[in-house]
């Protein structure tokens, strides 16, 4: 297996990218980190290059992070990876599988089509419909279709002042044509990251709020802790991730006043939460998994 050439697509210098590249190096003796911003696709030769490195000649690439923030251009980067797949380079997770998770709406539609419980949600481009949704829900979270770690999200509540409410919604819509509006539920100050490798459940960490922030993300001061969910929640998270066929992912789950709900399935999954929260070296586990897959198809 030491002769295999495996690249890590991620953000050079970022912790998760570097620990994954280190794990690849331990197993193969080689270490290649690729930032998609530096990639060039030549459709005539069908080469995907980074300088003098031809990714089309690699055995596999592992996608840890496709961009710093999500946007429609992130989808374009994934399309380039489809060229590699067509040439026989194995991509973990598959480009089309990741594509279905980058857009929040695409993920939500798939989850609801599989009857996965989620917070009450309204999708609309209409200001009037958005006003009605806020009035119906009482308190809402407006979410961009492309974002991670709660970036760009805002809380809008019914304050009995229609003019102020409409102004808040119009401010959000100025940046986001399609409005994703979710009822803000009462949560116990934490939500769960449930880790899956090849569809197998590995464990759960909790993101626990340390302040009065409405969300528990690490960007907002949340901390990782170990957590043992019920069998019911494990079964729910397992069902939630199955339609996406991801090689590695985490499922964001919360225990709300209406029961366990799923917020989303991650396009890439969190290494740090698993490491700090439950002591799982997901980078090493992931590389072992990739090597097993490559050996099985050799």
């Amino acid at each position: 297996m030491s002769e295999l050439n495996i690249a890590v697509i991620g953000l050079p210098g970022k912790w998760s990218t570097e620990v994954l590249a280190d794990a690849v190096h331990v197993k193969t003796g080689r270490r290649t980190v690729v930032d998609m911003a530096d990639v060039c696709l030549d459709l005539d030769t069908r080469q995907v290059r980074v300088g003098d490195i031809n990714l089309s000649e690699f055995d596999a690439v592992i996608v840890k992070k496709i961009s710093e923030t999500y946007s429609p251009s992130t989808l374009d980067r994934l399309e380039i990876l489809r060229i590699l797949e067509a040439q026989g380079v194995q991509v973990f997770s598959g480009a089309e599988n990741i594509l279905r998770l980058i857009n929040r709406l695409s993920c939500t539609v798939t989850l609801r089509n599989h009857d996965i419980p989620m917070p009450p949600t309204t999708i609309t481009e209409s200001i009037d419909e958005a006003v009605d949704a806020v009035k119906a829900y009482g308190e809402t979270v407006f979410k961009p279709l492309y974002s991670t770690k709660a970036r760009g999200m805002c809380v809008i509540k019914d304050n009995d002042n229609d003019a102020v409410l409409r102004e808040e919604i119009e401010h959000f819509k100025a940046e986001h044509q399609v409005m994703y509006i979710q009822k803000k539920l009462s949560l116990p100050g934490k939500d769960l990251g449930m880790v899956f490798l090849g569809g197998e459940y590995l464990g759960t960490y909790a993101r626990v709020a340390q302040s009065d922030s409405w969300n528990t993300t690490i960007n907002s001061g949340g901390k990782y802790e170990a957590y043992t969910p019920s069998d019911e929640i494990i079964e729910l998270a397992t069902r939630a991730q199955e339609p996406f066929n991801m090689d590695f992912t985490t499922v964001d789950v919360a225990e709300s006043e209406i029961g366990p709900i799923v917020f989303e399935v991650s396009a890439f999954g969190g290494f740090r939460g698993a490491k700090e929260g439950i002591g799982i070296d997901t980078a090493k586990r992931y590389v072992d998994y990739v090597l097993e897959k490559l050996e099985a198809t050799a």
Side-chain angles (χ1 to χ4, degrees), residues 100-114:
R100 298 169 64 204
L101 290 173
I102 292 294
N103 182 308
R104 190 181 309 279
L105 182 54
S106 176
C107 176
T108 297
V109 168
T110 299
L111 290 172
R112 293 303 297 130
N113 281 345
H114 286 80

Side-chain angles (χ1 to χ4, degrees), residues 127 130-132 134-135 138 156-170:
I127 296 289
V131 169
D132 290 345
V134 174
K135 288 181 174 295
I156 298 179
K157 62 180 68 176
D158 183 11
N159 55 13
D160 296 324
N161 187 323
D162 287 358
V164 172
L165 174 58
R166 182 173 289 269
E167 182 179 352
E168 289 184 74
I169 293 173
E170 288 175 345

Side-chain angles (χ1 to χ4, degrees), residues 104-105 107-109 111-112 116-124 130 133-134 136-144 153-157 172 179-185 187 214 252 254 258 261-264:
R104 190 181 309 279
L105 182 54
C107 176
T108 297
V109 168
L111 290 172
R112 293 303 297 130
I116 302 299
M118 301 185 72
T121 305
T122 294
I123 314 297
T124 186
V134 174
Y137 295 156
E139 189 170 12
T140 62
V141 182
F142 278 60
K143 300 182 176 183
M153 297 183 187
C154 65
V155 174
I156 298 179
K157 62 180 68 176
F172 182 85
M179 292 176 285
Y180 183 108
I181 307 164
Q182 209 157 60
K183 181 176 181 179
K184 186 175 180 294
L185 299 178
L187 304 178
W214 66 269
D252 289 350
I258 61 173
I261 55 169
V262 172
F263 284 115
E264 65 181 12

